Structure formats: C-alpha cells, structure tokens
Amino acid sequence: MLNTQVGLGCTRAIVDKGILPHNHQIGQTGVVIKPKLYIGIGVSGAIQHKIGMEQTEMILSINTNPEAPLNSFSDVVFLGDYEEVIEQFSSQLSQLSVQ
Ligand SMILES: Cc1cc2nc3c(=O)[nH]c(=O)nc-3n(C[C@H](O)[C@H](O)[C@H](O)COP(=O)(O)OP(=O)(O)OC[C@H]3O[C@@H](n4cnc5c(N)ncnc54)[C@H](O)[C@@H]3O)c2cc1C
C-alpha cells in the first residue's frame, strides 16, 4: 500500500516574507524533519536549513544554480527553473501507467 503522507516545509526566507508561518520552517531555528523524500524547490541549502533536513533518506533538488549547496548533498539534482522542471516532471509522470 502506498504511504501518501506529505508535508510542506520551507526556509527562513519564506517565513521572513510572510508566505508561510514559522511552524513550517525547517532548520536550526525551525523544526527537524526526517522524511523518506525531501524535494527542495529553489532551496539554497544553507547550513542552518541543512541541520533540519539532512537525515532525509532521499534528497531531490530543483535549482537554477549548479553551485547551490543543497545540490552537493542531494541524491538527484534537476538544474533549471522550477516551473519548467515541475511541468516536465508532471507531464512525464502522467504518461506512466501502473501495471
Ligand atoms: C542564526 C540563523 C538561523 C537561521 N535559521 C534558519 C533555519 O532554521 N532555517 C532556514 O531555512 N534558514 C535559516 N537561516 C537562514 C539561512 O542562512 C538562509 O538564509 C536561508 O535558508 C535561505 O533560504 P532560501 O534557500 O529559501 O533562499 P536563498 O538563499 O535566497 O536561495 C534561493 C535559491 O533558489 C534558487 N532559485 C531562484 N530562483 C529559482 C527558480 N526560478 N527555479 C529554481 N531555483 C531557483 C537560487 O539559485 C537559490 O539557490 C538562519 C540564519 C541565521 C543567521
């Protein structure tokens, strides 16, 4: 059976902008998470953020910057604009069929 539990976390930059409340902040001054899969969408991977998510089993990074620190400790890296990457990814997923 599929475990479809998902959560939405963010960096401090997102909290500072008022986009999400502080209880979503992952990191040194936020929460520590340990999911099976972490998808970092436009996340630089600063050390203060890393502290909160480095115990993840698999890390996927989507970032325009090849030098983003998150890429260096990710299992999978998609280089590019997140909107384009997610669009292509969704389109390919929708073509898969479960046997
Ligand atoms: C004492 C202290 C405690 C802190 N505690 C925390 C904490 O608990 N948690 C935390 O997260 N931070 C914390 N910070 C802040 C931390 O240092 C970083 O500033 C913060 O994590 C950066 O957030 P960010 O990656 O979202 O933003 P940015 O550093 O602005 O990075 C944005 C990233 O998105 C990429 N990007 C931009 N546009 C696109 C696009 N269109 N498509 C794909 N990628 C794109 C960029 O290349 C960049 O890598 C703390 C800092 C201090 C000093």
Side-chain angles (χ1 to χ4, degrees):
M1 193 168 123
L2 275 179
N3 180 348
T4 54
Q5 277 191 339
V6 293
L8 176 66
C10 67
T11 63
R12 190 170 94 170
I14 296 301
V15 174
D16 288 348
K17 286 178 186 157
I19 298 170
L20 284 173
H22 181 257
N23 60 359
H24 287 254
Q25 182 178 315
I26 297 163
Q28 184 185 335
T29 48
V31 295
V32 173
I33 58 168
K34 195 181 173 185
K36 289 190 186 300
L37 173 66
Y38 166 104
I39 304 178
I41 303 172
V43 171
S44 63
I47 183 65
Q48 295 90 354
H49 185 76
K50 182 182 181 188
I51 287 168
M53 46 66 71
E54 62 189 343
Q55 296 177 63
T56 300
E57 281 182 31
M58 176 175 249
I59 301 171
L60 188 154
S61 171
I62 303 173
N63 204 302
T64 46
N65 179 6
E67 306 299 326
L70 183 69
N71 298 346
S72 67
F73 56 92
S74 289
D75 300 285
V76 181
V77 175
F78 289 104
L79 280 183
D81 181 275
Y82 74 89
E83 289 191 65
E84 290 169 22
V85 171
I86 290 171
E87 195 180 316
Q88 284 181 27
F89 194 59
S90 309
S91 151
Q92 287 181 14
L93 272 184
S94 67
Q95 289 169 29
L96 291 176
S97 62
V98 179
Q99 301 296 320

